[in-house]
Amino acid sequence: MAENLKGMSYLRRKLSTKRHRVLKRYRYYEMKDNHMPRNLLVPVSLQAKFSFTLGWCTKAVDSMADILQFRGFRDDNFDMNGIYQMNNSDILYDSAILGALIASCDFIYISADDSGFPRLQVIDGSNATGIMDPITGMLTEGYAVLQRDADTGYPILEAYFAPGITWFYEKGSKPYSITNNAPYPLLVPIVCQPDAKRPFGHSRITRACMNVQNNAKDALMNMCICAEANSFPQKYVLGMDEDAEQMDKARAAMT
C-alpha cells in the first residue's frame, strides 16, 4: 500500500491550493470579509467611506450547528464514549461540527499522551488535507500543519500520516516518526454533505450565500447615498435664487 501513496509534497501543494478558499469562508463567518461596496456611478473615494457588517453567512452556519448534536456511539464495544468524554467532548463535538460546516471538512488528529491514552484534537480544513478512500470514507494518507508561526503563518510543526506510522517535521529539527497499530492514518475526516463528485463535502457558506451578502452591502451603500442626496435641502426650500450657486458635475450627477 505504501507504493500507492502520493507523499507529503503532493499533499502540501494540495493544501496550499485549498487553504485560501477555507480562510475566505472563515472571514465571512467571522464577519471580517471586508467587502468594499461597489457602484460604477459612485466615486471610489466615496465608496471607501462606507463599511457594513452583515451576518447572513454566519447565520447559515450557526442555524445548522445549533441543531446538530452528537449523542454518542451505540453498541460501544471499545468504550469510544469514554475516550471522547476524557477529551472534553462538550467542546470537541461542537468544534468539529462547526468547522465542517464552514470549511466543508475538518479533521480529528489522534495521538497518545504519556500514558498511552488517546488524545483527540480538531484541525480545521485550512491546516489539513489528505487522500480519501471512496469506499470507507477514511484517509489513505494525510497531512496536517500542527503549529504555525503567529506572525508569518509559515508551518513550524508538520505531520504526515500513513497507515501504521506518523511522521513529524519540526522546523530546525530532524524528522521523527511514531508507529501505531491502526490500519488507517490517525487523521480522521469530518465531512459536511459529501457526494461522489466531492468526497470532502460542501460548505454551508456557498458562493451564492457570499454573493447575496455582498450585493446586500452594495444596496445598503446605494440607499445611504440616496438618503443623503434626498435630505439635501433644495434651493426653493431655502428661498435662494436659481443662479445663487452653480451646480457642478458631481452634484448634478447626484441630483
Side-chain angles (χ1 to χ4, degrees), residues 1 5 14 107 130-142 163 183-185 187 189 191 194-196 199-200:
M1 187 173 181
L5 300 180
K14 180 180 179 180
F107 301 84
I131 306 297
M132 183 177 292
D133 186 339
I135 299 176
T136 63
M138 301 290 288
L139 298 184
T140 58
E141 58 181 316
Y184 289 97
L187 190 68
V191 188
D195 57 29
F200 283 97

Side-chain angles (χ1 to χ4, degrees), residues 230-241:
N230 292 332
S231 64
F232 187 82
Q234 301 299 319
K235 291 183 179 181
Y236 73 89
V237 176
L238 300 177
M240 298 175 60
D241 188 81

